[in-house]
Amino acid sequence: MRCSIQLSFYILLLLSFNCHSHVVEWTYQEGEVDEANWAKKYPLCGATHQSPIDIQKKKVVYNSEMSSFELEGYDGPLHGDFELTNNGHSVQIGLPFTMKIKKGLPHVYTAVQMHLHWGGLDLETSGSEHTIDGMRYMAELHIVHYNSELYGSFDEAKDKPEGLAVLAFLYEDGHFENTYYSEVISKLTTIRYAGQVTKVKILDPLAMLPENLENFYRYQGSLTTPPCTENVLWTVFDSKVILSQNQIKLLENTLLDWHNKTLRNDYRHAQPLNDRVVKSSFRVKMPKGEYSIIK
Ligand SMILES: *[C@@H]1O[C@H](CO)[C@@H](O)[C@H](O)[C@H]1NC(C)=O
Ligand SMILES: [Zn+2]
């Protein structure tokens, strides 16, 4: 009797710890494991092929064989229960396995989720992760895929060679509402607190992207969040997605992190390129009569 009372006391104690303390493993700006200290806890974050990078147009190498790029299952509207989650670092949308990168990469990759990175910490701060010639854009979309030819699931692929491919899109602000983002943005208020989840009923992934999907940059890199695994084939598109200034404001001001602070500037700064080469599917236009390298 006595024993069982003690036992249940310990179980209660355990439960209450689980309920009230989400362990914040890493952050962007504040706390012990902020961006500058990720590598202390996650050694790969200090490795040599990290993401994001600054794409320097002058150093990009044009590769005419990269043109055959084909998506499957992106064309909407798709109907379903797509999970919209505030994970404390970003807003994430769960994607159906029918969405794939069918051609153009060494393997077929299946979509898992997409999420955003943004700014807003100070007035007018942008928050894209990749920068182009030093320019940071308003925000950035990542569509995460796993190598479904080599691996059975995202969990299996996430720390394996050639495991992941991410499509990245940069945002600019404009005057008109981008209605393909309206449902997601209006539902942000229902997932204000970190850990909250809701559902989106209709999604049109292709319509959320720019029209021109032919011009892109490609390089080998990593996850831009801990554990920073270096198994990501990155495709960064040249055409930008436009959101209205009001939509960007809502993105920057609605969600809270695990400390109930407004979630802002959830981007990692550019990492050294080191021995890597960024390839492009198109002849990059240079200012002042300069030319990009052609191979
Ligand atoms: C954040 O706010 C919610 C709602 O007021 C509360 O339940 C939760 O305990 C708060 N979390 C922290 C870390 O303060
Ligand atoms: Zn990301």
Side-chain angles (χ1 to χ4, degrees), residues 44-110:
L44 289 176
C45 299
T48 55
H49 291 173
Q50 289 289 293
S51 295
I53 55 165
D54 177 44
I55 296 171
Q56 291 175 271
K57 286 185 178 177
K58 219 159 67 175
K59 294 191 185 163
V60 165
V61 175
Y62 168 58
N63 184 326
S64 60
E65 283 154 33
M66 285 206 310
S67 55
S68 70
F69 181 70
E70 205 180 303
L71 298 172
E72 185 183 272
Y74 265 63
D75 207 356
L78 307 177
H79 297 262
D81 277 325
F82 307 106
E83 272 195 359
L84 187 71
T85 309
N86 173 355
N87 63 22
H89 302 297
S90 180
V91 56
Q92 180 175 309
I93 307 172
L95 296 174
F97 58 81
T98 44
M99 284 172 60
K100 292 176 199 300
I101 305 171
K102 190 78 183 180
K103 271 191 205 151
L105 296 184
H107 297 275
V108 172
Y109 287 80
T110 297

Side-chain angles (χ1 to χ4, degrees), residues 118-127 138 248 252-253 262-267:
W118 60 86
L121 196 57
D122 302 306
L123 213 61
E124 312 263 320
T125 47
S126 306
M138 293 306 289
I248 288 176
E252 291 172 345
N253 293 304
T262 305
L263 182 50
R264 294 189 179 118
N265 284 30
D266 56 348
Y267 66 86

Side-chain angles (χ1 to χ4, degrees), residues 22 31 71 129 177 269:
H22 169 87
L71 298 172
E129 297 210 294
E177 182 180 337
H269 290 84

Side-chain angles (χ1 to χ4, degrees), residues 214-227:
E214 274 143 43
N215 295 359
F216 53 81
Y217 304 97
R218 183 163 292 149
Y219 77 99
Q220 283 286 345
S222 73
L223 297 175
T224 65
T225 55

Side-chain angles (χ1 to χ4, degrees), residues 193 258-260:
Y193 294 102
W258 291 106
H259 296 292
N260 286 348

Side-chain angles (χ1 to χ4, degrees), residues 268-289:
R268 188 188 196 190
H269 290 84
Q271 303 296 304
L273 189 62
N274 294 319
D275 60 351
R276 291 174 288 179
V277 173
V278 180
K279 293 189 265 181
S280 66
S281 68
F282 64 112
R283 286 190 171 80
V284 178
K285 276 205 199 85
M286 301 297 301
K288 291 177 274 163

